[in-house]
C-alpha cells in the first residue's frame, strides 16, 4: 500500500497539478502527504562579480530577507490548500539556494513510498527544476512520479505500460509500482526490439511475478521499425490509452556527475502521461 507521499511544491501554478496527483494516489489507502516546499533564496555568486561583491552584500541581505518573508506567506497558503483534501498532511519548508534542494528532497524521498515532481526537460518559464529532478531520481533510492506540466489527475490508474528491460533499474521501478500494478485493470509489459536469443524469457518471468501480485498482465514485444525506443513506447502508450508508464531511470556517471540516458530524458521530456521511475 501507499501510505506516505512527498510532493514537491514551489509556490508556482504547477503546485495544484502535483497536489492533484498526490491526493489521487493517497486517497485509496488514506496516505499521509508531505508537501516539500522549496523556497529559493538568492545566490550572491550569481548576482555580482567578485569586484562588485562587497557593494552587492547589502542588497543581497535585503533580497534574502524578502525571500524568507515570502516563504512564510506561501507556506501558510500551501498548508491551507493541502488541508482541504481531508487527508493527513504536513508542510516541510526548506529555505535554500537552488542547487541545494536536490539533496534535501532525495533524503525526504527515502523515508516515503513515493515522491511526486513535475517532469523535467519541458522548458517553459520560471525556475528550472531539471537538476533537482535528476538528483531525486538518482539519489533517493525510491520511486519518483513525474507529472507532465499542467496535467490534472484524471482518476484512478487503470492502464499501465511497463517498459521492461532485464536490468536493475527496470526491476527497481517495477517494485516501486507494485501497489498500482496490483489495482490496475490492465498492465502491458512491453519490450522493444527484444533480442532473438531468448531475451524474452526474463519478461515472461516478470509477467508471472506480477500476476502473482494480482496484476492483469499482457507481455508484448515491439519492433521499433525505424523509430527511436522512446517514440515506440509513447506510440504504444497512446494506442493503449495508458494512464501510467513505469520504467527504469537509466543514466551514467560523467566527471562524478550522474547523467540521464537518452531514452530516459526523451520519455520524461515528451510523455503526455505520468511516468514512474526508479534508479
Amino acid at each position: 500500500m501507499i501510505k506516505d507521499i512527498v510532493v514537491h511544491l514551489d509556490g508556482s501554478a504547477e503546485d495544484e497539478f502535483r497536489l492533484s496527483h498526490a491526493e489521487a494516489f493517497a486517497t485509496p489507502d488514506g496516505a499521509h502527504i508531505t508537501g516539500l516546499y522549496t523556497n529559493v533564496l538568492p545566490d550572491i555568486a550569481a548576482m555580482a562579480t567578485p569586484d562588485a561583491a562587497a557593494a552587492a552584500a547589502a542588497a543581497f541581505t535585503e533580497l534574502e530577507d524578502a525571500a524568507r518573508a515570502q516563504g512564510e506567506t506561501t507556506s501558510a497558503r500551501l498548508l491551507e490548500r493541502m488541508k482541504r483534501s481531508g487527508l493527513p498532511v504536513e508542510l516541510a519548508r526548506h529555505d535554500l539556494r537552488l542547487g541545494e534542494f536536490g539533496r534535501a528532497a532525495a533524503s525526504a524521498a527515502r523515508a516515503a513510498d513515493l515522491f511526486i515532481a513535475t517532469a523535467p526537460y519541458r522548458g517553459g518559464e520560471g525556475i528550472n527544476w531539471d537538476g533537482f529532478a535528476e538528483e531525486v531520481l538518482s539519489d533517493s533510492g525510491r520511486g519518483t512520479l513525474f507529472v507532465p506540466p499542467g496535467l490534472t489527475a484524471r482518476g484512478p490508474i487503470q492502464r499501465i505500460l511497463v517498459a521492461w528491460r532485464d536490468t536493475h533499474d527496470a526491476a527497481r521501478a517495477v517494485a516501486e509500482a507494485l501497489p498500482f500494478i496490483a489495482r490496475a485493470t490492465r498492465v502491458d509489459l512491453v519490450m522493444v526490439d527484444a533480442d532473438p536469443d531468448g531475451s524474452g524469457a526474463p519478461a515472461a518471468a516478470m509477467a508471472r511475478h506480477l500476476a502473482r501480485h494480482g496484476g492483469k498482465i499482457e507481455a508484448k514485444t515491439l519492433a521499433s521499425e525505424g523509430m527511436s525506443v522512446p517514440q515506440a513506447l509513447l506510440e504504444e502508450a497512446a494506442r493503449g490509452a495508458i494512464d501510467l508508464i513505469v520504467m527504469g531511470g537509466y543514466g551514467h556517471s560523467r566527471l562524478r556527475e550522474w547523467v540521464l540516458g537518452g531514452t530516459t530524458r526523451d520519455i520524461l521530456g515528451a510523455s503526455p502521461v505520468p511516468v514512474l521511475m526508479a534508479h
Side-chain angles (χ1 to χ4, degrees), residues 133-146:
E134 292 171 357
E135 194 164 352
V136 174
L137 175 60
S138 66
D139 292 354
S140 70
R142 299 308 306 264
T144 302
L145 181 80
F146 292 107

Side-chain angles (χ1 to χ4, degrees), residues 20-140:
S20 76
H21 288 270
E23 291 164 358
F25 280 105
T27 297
D29 298 316
H32 182 277
I33 300 175
T34 299
L36 189 137
Y37 169 39
T38 52
N39 186 38
V40 182
L41 298 181
D43 187 347
I44 193 169
M47 292 173 56
T49 65
D51 292 341
F60 173 78
T61 301
E62 184 176 338
L63 286 171
E64 181 166 308
D65 289 345
R68 292 183 186 276
Q70 181 61 48
E72 292 284 351
T73 301
T74 303
S75 293
R77 174 176 61 80
L78 290 173
L79 185 57
E80 181 182 2
R81 161 61 185 86
M82 293 175 69
K83 287 179 177 178
R84 293 204 300 269
S85 69
L87 293 161
V89 299
E90 67 177 297
L91 189 74
R93 172 180 156 192
H94 295 266
D95 297 328
L96 297 168
R97 320 296 171 205
L98 181 58
E100 298 170 340
F101 288 114
R103 179 179 296 182
S107 179
R110 292 183 197 115
D113 297 315
L114 184 69
F115 189 93
I116 298 178
T118 297
Y121 318 126
R122 304 293 180 115
E125 300 178 353
I127 297 171
N128 185 331
W129 293 107
D130 292 359
F132 170 88
E134 292 171 357
E135 194 164 352
V136 174
L137 175 60
S138 66
D139 292 354
S140 70

Side-chain angles (χ1 to χ4, degrees), residues 168-249:
H168 169 276
D169 291 343
R172 286 288 308 117
V174 168
E176 295 291 323
L178 278 177
F180 313 120
I181 289 171
R183 288 174 168 162
T185 58
R186 191 184 85 231
V187 179
D188 295 343
L189 189 74
V190 176
M191 294 185 72
V192 179
D193 295 335
D195 297 331
D197 59 0
S199 62
M206 178 55 71
R208 290 192 297 272
H209 169 65
L210 295 179
R212 290 168 188 145
H213 279 272
K216 300 170 181 65
I217 313 300
E218 180 178 352
K220 299 182 178 181
T221 299
L222 298 181
S224 60
E225 297 181 343
M227 293 185 291
S228 67
V229 171
Q231 286 175 318
L233 288 171
L234 292 178
E235 285 204 3
E236 180 67 16
R239 279 193 297 269
I242 293 298
D243 302 312
L244 175 69
I245 294 173
V246 175
M247 64 179 289

